[in-house]
Amino acid sequence: MLQTARTAQAPDPTPDRPACDPVSLEIIRGAIAAAQSEMEALLERTAISAFIREKKDFYTALFDENGVMAIGSMVPIFGDMTSPVFEHFPPETMKPGDLYWYNDCYGSRGAVSHSNDQVLLAPVFRNGKRCAFVMSWAHFADIGGMHPGSISPDATDIFQEGIIIPPTKLIDQGVTNEATLAIFHRNSRFPEQSNGDMRALMASVELGVRRVGEILDRFGAEVVADAFAQLLARTRRLVRARLAETFDYGTHRFTDAIDADGHGNGPFRMRFALTRQKGKDGEDRFIFDATESDDQAPGPVNYLMNRGVPGMALGLFYLGGDSAQVCNAGGPNAIDEVRLREGSFLLPKWPAPLGMRGLTTMRVISAIGGLVNVAGGNAPAANSAYVISIMRGRFRNEAGELERFLLADGIGVGYGARPNADGIDAVYFVAQENYPVEFLETGYPIRLLRYGIARDSGGAGTHRGGCGIVREYEILAEDALLAVRIDSLKNPPWGIHGGMGGGTGRAVVNPGTDRERVLRPLSDGNRLVRGDILRMETGGGGGYGHPFDRLPAKVLEDVLGGYVSREAAEGLYGVILSGNAVDEAATARARVDRPAAGRFHRTEYVDVLA
């Protein structure tokens, strides 16, 4: 089955609405951005679980009266968050004080892409009129399933990944359905934590409703509606103009791949095409096509890609951190059509598992950047996919009793180099963070022996790819089982325009001893005991531009800072060091013999990634 998805168009300002003047527009833009940020701050400060409070795995957004996103976080995973609720609870039936909840991936067509993410949505009313919606979602640490943490490389269907909540009215005009919440928390191995996180999520939405209400009181519903429409239209126009600058008429293609699914299958290739053509009305049409991507995986690396993802990723690239713009549905609405093939690993059939879709998501983002690059744009080189380790087991508490623990540690990686700058080092995922050492050692039965940059993991280039991380844990628990998610060993992040591919990651137990064992990069059930040492190394991003064009002073700075080894400085960059200084004459001689390079690099130079 071929799924052809069209993005919903935001309403343009109309003459019968009181126009929002330019000054008020900017004030409203700042006000809704502040409201959205305050919702996130409240959620971060009041949640119980580390994944929300420390790692910041959450997202908030505001929508117009029709459910079109007016502002959200700068996270390229947005889908159509409101339609799944509207299909069960028509907007015209909603009342003040209502709150809706879901985590159903398939029921939301990938708006939420794995079951740990809980979505809460509330309407905002003024004077009896529905004027807006606010939403918060967050990753809950454990919602049941086959293993603690609810996501595992072992999973073969989504039922093994925890409880599934279809769109549900959680609060009816201020009255909470506590029985529904009790069922949900009963399915968690850590119900107190689940309850605390849900209360924080509910409070975040409640705050959003109040703040948006204050904006409506100040400016009036019609002016705010017009401001939302203008902001949506502005972003859409900007993204479409940039698409036209990048993509000539015709079809542009790019292929990328993830290594495996944890069950012996792979690689899985995503084949993307973006076509620009003239429509019957003479206007440009932009069509994103992923129908030639490989079939779905038996393991949990499938990504139920919502139709809004390609436009959101391209929109965020083109917005480029411009503080005058907001992240909204203008990006997705800039793409006229998104084509996906049901049964592919980017549109899997129910009930395929989805829990490890994060590594596929990261490769999708890089591949969309690859599309921009083959069309002549200046997107970054590929980034690595953030690494996840899930450790669960038992430790002895101060009373000497065995107590259960769950540590889900997402670990940063290197991002791809940019046309004018190095890639970012040690990033988990956009706005999210790595756990601090003090927090890990205080909250879990481990001691962190080492935490630093993985030297030489960033792809060599005129601009170096970002470097990954090394974490070394000493296990203080009595026993533990470890799930690991590492990708990009066989298909490392690609470098571009002469830049070299990023380095790979690995997980090793008791490194350098006679008990050393290297773990499978996507595996579960790895046993650890008290005294074991676990070393996690993560990959780096691809480089941009020929390494011999990097300034020798920058190479020296990288060597002294621990990012690049002396051997790599000489072998990859042609920079000869004498002590802690560049030997200018020897470097000039070494760089005469300039290695040939190609457009892309992934273990070797090629002109096309296939």
PDB file of all heavy atoms in Angstrom, residues 40 61 84-85 99 132-133 231 236 303 305 333 340 375 377 381 446 558:
ATOM      1  N   GLU A  40       8.056  24.394  29.587  1.00  0.00           N
ATOM      2  CA  GLU A  40       9.177  23.453  29.642  1.00  0.00           C
ATOM      3  C   GLU A  40       9.939  23.576  30.955  1.00  0.00           C
ATOM      4  O   GLU A  40      10.353  22.566  31.539  1.00  0.00           O
ATOM      5  CB  GLU A  40      10.100  23.686  28.450  1.00  0.00           C
ATOM      6  CG  GLU A  40       9.483  23.305  27.115  1.00  0.00           C
ATOM      7  CD  GLU A  40      10.488  23.295  25.980  1.00  0.00           C
ATOM      8  OE1 GLU A  40      11.551  23.925  26.128  1.00  0.00           O
ATOM      9  OE2 GLU A  40      10.195  22.657  24.950  1.00  0.00           O
ATOM     10  N   ALA A  61       4.316  22.703  23.096  1.00  0.00           N
ATOM     11  CA  ALA A  61       3.921  23.442  21.900  1.00  0.00           C
ATOM     12  C   ALA A  61       2.576  24.116  22.124  1.00  0.00           C
ATOM     13  O   ALA A  61       1.779  23.699  22.983  1.00  0.00           O
ATOM     14  CB  ALA A  61       3.848  22.513  20.687  1.00  0.00           C
ATOM     15  N   PRO A  84      -4.977  13.194  16.023  1.00  0.00           N
ATOM     16  CA  PRO A  84      -5.372  11.954  16.698  1.00  0.00           C
ATOM     17  C   PRO A  84      -6.440  12.165  17.771  1.00  0.00           C
ATOM     18  O   PRO A  84      -7.324  11.322  17.942  1.00  0.00           O
ATOM     19  CB  PRO A  84      -4.048  11.469  17.318  1.00  0.00           C
ATOM     20  CG  PRO A  84      -2.991  12.045  16.437  1.00  0.00           C
ATOM     21  CD  PRO A  84      -3.517  13.381  16.021  1.00  0.00           C
ATOM     22  N   VAL A  85      -6.372  13.287  18.474  1.00  0.00           N
ATOM     23  CA  VAL A  85      -7.398  13.583  19.479  1.00  0.00           C
ATOM     24  C   VAL A  85      -8.694  13.996  18.793  1.00  0.00           C
ATOM     25  O   VAL A  85      -9.787  13.546  19.163  1.00  0.00           O
ATOM     26  CB  VAL A  85      -6.903  14.689  20.432  1.00  0.00           C
ATOM     27  CG1 VAL A  85      -8.036  15.142  21.359  1.00  0.00           C
ATOM     28  CG2 VAL A  85      -5.720  14.194  21.256  1.00  0.00           C
ATOM     29  N   LEU A  99      -8.879  17.857  29.279  1.00  0.00           N
ATOM     30  CA  LEU A  99      -7.491  17.484  28.999  1.00  0.00           C
ATOM     31  C   LEU A  99      -7.489  16.110  28.349  1.00  0.00           C
ATOM     32  O   LEU A  99      -8.164  15.189  28.827  1.00  0.00           O
ATOM     33  CB  LEU A  99      -6.661  17.454  30.285  1.00  0.00           C
ATOM     34  CG  LEU A  99      -5.184  17.059  30.130  1.00  0.00           C
ATOM     35  CD1 LEU A  99      -4.421  18.128  29.360  1.00  0.00           C
ATOM     36  CD2 LEU A  99      -4.540  16.838  31.503  1.00  0.00           C
ATOM     37  N   ALA A 132      -7.378  28.238  21.123  1.00  0.00           N
ATOM     38  CA  ALA A 132      -6.031  27.677  20.980  1.00  0.00           C
ATOM     39  C   ALA A 132      -5.981  26.315  21.662  1.00  0.00           C
ATOM     40  O   ALA A 132      -6.954  25.872  22.305  1.00  0.00           O
ATOM     41  CB  ALA A 132      -4.992  28.617  21.591  1.00  0.00           C
ATOM     42  N   PHE A 133      -4.832  25.662  21.522  1.00  0.00           N
ATOM     43  CA  PHE A 133      -4.536  24.422  22.248  1.00  0.00           C
ATOM     44  C   PHE A 133      -3.106  24.518  22.775  1.00  0.00           C
ATOM     45  O   PHE A 133      -2.251  25.175  22.176  1.00  0.00           O
ATOM     46  CB  PHE A 133      -4.640  23.193  21.330  1.00  0.00           C
ATOM     47  CG  PHE A 133      -6.038  22.867  20.890  1.00  0.00           C
ATOM     48  CD1 PHE A 133      -6.570  23.443  19.749  1.00  0.00           C
ATOM     49  CD2 PHE A 133      -6.821  21.983  21.606  1.00  0.00           C
ATOM     50  CE1 PHE A 133      -7.852  23.153  19.331  1.00  0.00           C
ATOM     51  CE2 PHE A 133      -8.108  21.680  21.206  1.00  0.00           C
ATOM     52  CZ  PHE A 133      -8.629  22.264  20.062  1.00  0.00           C
ATOM     53  N   LEU A 231       2.217  34.306  11.412  1.00  0.00           N
ATOM     54  CA  LEU A 231       3.469  33.618  11.720  1.00  0.00           C
ATOM     55  C   LEU A 231       3.592  32.318  10.923  1.00  0.00           C
ATOM     56  O   LEU A 231       4.674  31.976  10.413  1.00  0.00           O
ATOM     57  CB  LEU A 231       3.558  33.334  13.219  1.00  0.00           C
ATOM     58  CG  LEU A 231       3.744  34.564  14.114  1.00  0.00           C
ATOM     59  CD1 LEU A 231       3.582  34.181  15.587  1.00  0.00           C
ATOM     60  CD2 LEU A 231       5.105  35.207  13.882  1.00  0.00           C
ATOM     61  N   ARG A 236       6.134  29.514   6.337  1.00  0.00           N
ATOM     62  CA  ARG A 236       5.924  28.730   5.118  1.00  0.00           C
ATOM     63  C   ARG A 236       6.548  29.424   3.910  1.00  0.00           C
ATOM     64  O   ARG A 236       7.222  28.790   3.087  1.00  0.00           O
ATOM     65  CB  ARG A 236       4.436  28.486   4.892  1.00  0.00           C
ATOM     66  CG  ARG A 236       4.127  27.612   3.663  1.00  0.00           C
ATOM     67  CD  ARG A 236       2.645  27.298   3.565  1.00  0.00           C
ATOM     68  NE  ARG A 236       2.391  26.404   2.445  1.00  0.00           N
ATOM     69  CZ  ARG A 236       2.149  26.800   1.197  1.00  0.00           C
ATOM     70  NH1 ARG A 236       2.121  28.109   0.912  1.00  0.00           N
ATOM     71  NH2 ARG A 236       1.922  25.925   0.235  1.00  0.00           N
ATOM     72  N   TYR A 303      10.758   3.197  12.208  1.00  0.00           N
ATOM     73  CA  TYR A 303      10.404   4.583  12.533  1.00  0.00           C
ATOM     74  C   TYR A 303       9.104   4.926  11.816  1.00  0.00           C
ATOM     75  O   TYR A 303       9.075   5.005  10.588  1.00  0.00           O
ATOM     76  CB  TYR A 303      11.531   5.516  12.085  1.00  0.00           C
ATOM     77  CG  TYR A 303      11.262   6.994  12.298  1.00  0.00           C
ATOM     78  CD1 TYR A 303      10.539   7.453  13.394  1.00  0.00           C
ATOM     79  CD2 TYR A 303      11.769   7.932  11.412  1.00  0.00           C
ATOM     80  CE1 TYR A 303      10.314   8.808  13.594  1.00  0.00           C
ATOM     81  CE2 TYR A 303      11.559   9.291  11.597  1.00  0.00           C
ATOM     82  CZ  TYR A 303      10.835   9.726  12.688  1.00  0.00           C
ATOM     83  OH  TYR A 303      10.617  11.066  12.879  1.00  0.00           O
ATOM     84  N   MET A 305       7.327   7.298  10.606  1.00  0.00           N
ATOM     85  CA  MET A 305       7.629   8.696  10.308  1.00  0.00           C
ATOM     86  C   MET A 305       6.355   9.467   9.968  1.00  0.00           C
ATOM     87  O   MET A 305       5.720   9.217   8.948  1.00  0.00           O
ATOM     88  CB  MET A 305       8.633   8.795   9.155  1.00  0.00           C
ATOM     89  CG  MET A 305       9.165  10.204   8.950  1.00  0.00           C
ATOM     90  SD  MET A 305      10.596  10.271   7.849  1.00  0.00           S
ATOM     91  CE  MET A 305       9.824   9.990   6.265  1.00  0.00           C
ATOM     92  N   ASN A 333       4.140  22.525   6.318  1.00  0.00           N
ATOM     93  CA  ASN A 333       3.207  22.981   5.291  1.00  0.00           C
ATOM     94  C   ASN A 333       3.898  23.463   4.022  1.00  0.00           C
ATOM     95  O   ASN A 333       3.248  23.673   2.995  1.00  0.00           O
ATOM     96  CB  ASN A 333       2.322  24.107   5.845  1.00  0.00           C
ATOM     97  CG  ASN A 333       1.306  23.596   6.851  1.00  0.00           C
ATOM     98  OD1 ASN A 333       0.995  22.413   6.881  1.00  0.00           O
ATOM     99  ND2 ASN A 333       0.816  24.478   7.696  1.00  0.00           N
ATOM    100  N   LEU A 340       4.946   7.900   1.477  1.00  0.00           N
ATOM    101  CA  LEU A 340       5.551   6.820   2.246  1.00  0.00           C
ATOM    102  C   LEU A 340       4.942   5.498   1.814  1.00  0.00           C
ATOM    103  O   LEU A 340       3.797   5.474   1.364  1.00  0.00           O
ATOM    104  CB  LEU A 340       5.319   7.035   3.744  1.00  0.00           C
ATOM    105  CG  LEU A 340       5.809   8.357   4.336  1.00  0.00           C
ATOM    106  CD1 LEU A 340       5.238   8.544   5.731  1.00  0.00           C
ATOM    107  CD2 LEU A 340       7.324   8.409   4.369  1.00  0.00           C
ATOM    108  N   ALA A 375      21.622  18.539  -3.891  1.00  0.00           N
ATOM    109  CA  ALA A 375      20.970  19.570  -4.691  1.00  0.00           C
ATOM    110  C   ALA A 375      21.806  20.846  -4.779  1.00  0.00           C
ATOM    111  O   ALA A 375      21.406  21.798  -5.454  1.00  0.00           O
ATOM    112  CB  ALA A 375      19.600  19.893  -4.113  1.00  0.00           C
ATOM    113  N   GLY A 377      22.988  22.483  -1.897  1.00  0.00           N
ATOM    114  CA  GLY A 377      22.878  23.276  -0.683  1.00  0.00           C
ATOM    115  C   GLY A 377      24.055  23.061   0.235  1.00  0.00           C
ATOM    116  O   GLY A 377      25.008  22.341  -0.087  1.00  0.00           O
ATOM    117  N   ALA A 381      27.569  17.807   7.338  1.00  0.00           N
ATOM    118  CA  ALA A 381      27.839  16.389   7.150  1.00  0.00           C
ATOM    119  C   ALA A 381      26.985  15.593   8.147  1.00  0.00           C
ATOM    120  O   ALA A 381      26.301  16.156   9.000  1.00  0.00           O
ATOM    121  CB  ALA A 381      29.322  16.110   7.353  1.00  0.00           C
ATOM    122  N   ILE A 446      26.646   3.080  40.700  1.00  0.00           N
ATOM    123  CA  ILE A 446      27.799   3.059  39.784  1.00  0.00           C
ATOM    124  C   ILE A 446      28.776   4.149  40.224  1.00  0.00           C
ATOM    125  O   ILE A 446      28.414   5.094  40.928  1.00  0.00           O
ATOM    126  CB  ILE A 446      27.386   3.278  38.305  1.00  0.00           C
ATOM    127  CG1 ILE A 446      26.641   4.614  38.133  1.00  0.00           C
ATOM    128  CG2 ILE A 446      26.532   2.143  37.796  1.00  0.00           C
ATOM    129  CD1 ILE A 446      27.469   5.692  37.539  1.00  0.00           C
ATOM    130  N   ASP A 558      43.426  21.176  18.432  1.00  0.00           N
ATOM    131  CA  ASP A 558      42.697  19.921  18.655  1.00  0.00           C
ATOM    132  C   ASP A 558      43.571  18.878  19.333  1.00  0.00           C
ATOM    133  O   ASP A 558      43.105  18.115  20.197  1.00  0.00           O
ATOM    134  CB  ASP A 558      42.183  19.373  17.321  1.00  0.00           C
ATOM    135  CG  ASP A 558      40.938  20.076  16.823  1.00  0.00           C
ATOM    136  OD1 ASP A 558      40.291  20.766  17.633  1.00  0.00           O
ATOM    137  OD2 ASP A 558      40.610  19.940  15.636  1.00  0.00           O
TER     138      ASP A 558
END
